[in-house]
Amino acid sequence: MRRPQLDIQLKTPDQIEKMRAAGLVVAEALRRMREAVAPGVSTADLDAIAESTIREAGAIPSFKGYHGFPASICSSVNEQVVHAIPSPRQVLRDGDLISIDCGAVLDGWHGDAAITVGVGEVDPALLTMAAVAEDAMWAGIAAAARGAASGKGRLTDISHAVETAVRKAGRYGIVDGYGGHGIGTEMHQDPHVLNHGRPGKGPRLVPGMALAIEPMITLGSPRTVELADGWTVVTRDRSMAVHVEHTMALLPDGVWVLTAPDGGRERLGDLVTARQPAPAA
């Protein structure tokens, strides 16, 4: 079933279960890459880890071949915001910050998530910025859960929650023009989810919606440029940037963070659906 106006695909609980399986493949690939990040490791090395993990699970890398993209991950280092192409020439150095975006499709359903990881000894201000983005992402997911539960939530409640969390944390640039998106049988679907804006606008938040929530923030200007490769987006002032993302779905009894191993339980508590079992006591 699709909602009119925007072409929003609503999923059944059983279809969301299938998306959860894809999400766990992504989570495992990101876990392995996080462990592998170190000085001397290339972004091509990380890409190989992602592809092997995804294919071992019987899934397919969502990114590889997408509009011609040549790799299984986007590996954005330092001033690179999103969509950087992995390369054996991009070798991580002590003090770098890398954002790794990864997607997988399993049985026709997509999962998509991103993490930002410090390499070796990293400036604490950069790690703080990464934590701010992470907190803002969870604030957006919580806003979606509460809005769906109340029956009054609108899409931009997520955007407003993300922006509010970032603004309260410090003077960061919120990257404009890029944001989250619907996800399901395609990696990118309606609606587009901005990381800033007034609340109470856009389509209602209802069970069956699946969204990728992905803040991107910088230490400087929010303005970006795309490089000549047609993919890599960098900050215009070359300030450092971070990017985090989770895929989440709304169910009748709560939210399910499909790319989080614990389904979001640690960060969201009782907002999480009973389909994600609580940890054993």
Side-chain angles (χ1 to χ4, degrees):
M1 182 171 66
R2 293 177 183 266
R3 295 176 65 85
Q5 299 144 359
L6 294 176
D7 192 18
I8 298 175
Q9 182 187 65
L10 298 181
K11 289 81 173 171
T12 68
D14 287 346
Q15 289 170 336
I16 290 171
E17 292 272 6
K18 293 181 178 180
M19 291 187 67
R20 171 60 165 170
L24 288 175
V25 173
V26 173
E28 177 61 13
L30 288 171
R31 184 191 69 78
R32 293 184 186 182
M33 286 185 282
R34 183 190 292 275
E35 290 184 351
V37 166
V41 172
S42 76
T43 54
D45 295 332
L46 298 175
D47 184 66
I49 291 170
E51 180 160 6
S52 64
T53 302
I54 291 167
R55 295 195 185 277
E56 284 168 11
I60 299 169
S62 299
F63 296 0
K64 197 163 191 178
Y66 183 74
H67 295 297
F69 191 78
S72 296
I73 63 169
C74 300
S75 51
S76 305
V77 180
N78 296 336
E79 77 278 4
Q80 297 170 343
V81 182
V82 286
H83 303 162
I85 301 170
S87 169
R89 297 183 298 278
Q90 178 83 71
V91 178
L92 300 177
R93 299 175 298 178
D94 194 62
D96 282 345
L97 203 61
I98 179 171
S99 298
I100 306 169
D101 193 356
C102 181
V105 55
L106 181 65
D107 295 331
W109 296 91
H110 287 260
D112 188 8
I115 57 174
T116 294
V117 185
V119 183
E121 293 293 323
V122 178
D123 183 342
L126 299 181
L127 298 180
T128 296
M129 178 170 61
V132 168
E134 185 96 4
D135 289 345
M137 174 185 65
W138 286 107
I141 295 170
R146 293 189 181 99
S150 71
K152 299 178 181 179
R154 297 278 187 172
L155 182 70
T156 63
D157 297 349
I158 300 171
S159 308
H160 182 69
V162 171
E163 179 179 14
T164 299
V166 173
R167 299 295 184 215
K168 285 183 176 179
R171 299 186 64 181
Y172 299 100
I174 299 176
V175 174
D176 198 12
Y178 297 89
H181 51 89
I183 184 170
T185 52
E186 299 88 28
M187 182 166 59
H188 292 109
Q189 299 180 328
D190 285 339
H192 183 58
V193 187
L194 290 172
N195 289 313
H196 57 85
R198 294 182 178 180
K201 299 183 181 299
R204 289 196 181 278
L205 298 170
V206 297
M209 291 182 76
L211 304 169
I213 310 301
E214 49 180 320
M216 289 155 261
I217 65 175
T218 76
L219 274 181
S221 169
R223 301 181 71 186
T224 62
V225 295
E226 186 178 271
L227 299 186
D229 64 13
W231 286 103
T232 307
V233 176
V234 302
T235 53
R236 180 165 291 188
D237 62 3
R238 295 304 191 266
S239 61
M240 301 286 269
V242 298
H243 170 213
V244 295
E245 176 184 17
H246 267 312
T247 295
M248 51 142 277
L250 297 171
L251 287 118
D253 67 338
V255 67
W256 201 356
V257 185
L258 303 174
T259 47
D262 73 345
R265 184 75 66 184
E266 180 181 351
R267 296 294 300 251
L268 302 175
D270 290 342
L271 291 175
V272 173
T273 174
R275 288 202 170 214
Q276 171 61 42

